[in-house]
Amino acid sequence: MYSLKPKNKSVYVTNESLSSKYKAGAAKKNGKFIIISNTGNHVRKTVLHEFGHTLGMDHCVNNKCIMGTRNIMTCNGEFCNNCKTKLKIK
């Protein structure tokens, strides 16, 4: 279901494990699609994190922020105020 319209984003879900580098999901910065593994317990958080990358977001230093790195256990499932501000600017 890939779309050539630049505003559209696609999410692909697999039951297969991803590579060791991309354990839960992957997305290119400003990209058009997300791929995630449905093998974990944190699908929602992974989709939001990877979606942030497709919107041009980098990783955040705040481990409670959805854009933090390797923060599944400490993440509150939301963007921090700093990341929310960046999203509003774009």
Side-chain angles (χ1 to χ4, degrees):
M1 298 299 196
Y2 187 77
S3 173
L4 295 177
K5 295 179 182 178
K7 291 185 179 183
N8 290 348
K9 309 287 182 184
S10 297
V11 178
Y12 297 94
V13 181
T14 179
N15 290 325
E16 301 293 324
S17 295
L18 301 179
S19 71
S20 59
K21 183 177 179 183
Y22 305 106
K23 293 181 181 184
K28 185 176 181 182
K29 188 173 179 180
N30 296 313
K32 293 184 169 85
F33 69 91
I34 299 163
I35 185 166
I36 65 163
S37 174
N38 194 26
T39 59
N41 296 323
H42 309 285
V43 173
R44 179 187 171 277
K45 289 179 182 180
T46 301
V47 169
L48 286 173
H49 176 92
E50 299 303 338
F51 186 67
H53 286 311
T54 68
L55 296 175
M57 301 293 294
D58 290 315
H59 286 130
C60 182
V61 296
N62 182 344
N63 278 333
K64 291 189 178 189
C65 178
I66 198 74
M67 291 309 296
T69 57
R70 296 179 183 88
N71 66 339
I72 287 298
M73 300 311 287
T74 59
C75 173
N76 65 11
E78 298 179 11
F79 292 95
C80 69
N81 288 335
N82 186 38
C83 287
K84 285 179 186 176
T85 300
K86 289 178 183 176
L87 285 170
K88 288 178 184 177
I89 291 171
K90 296 182 183 227

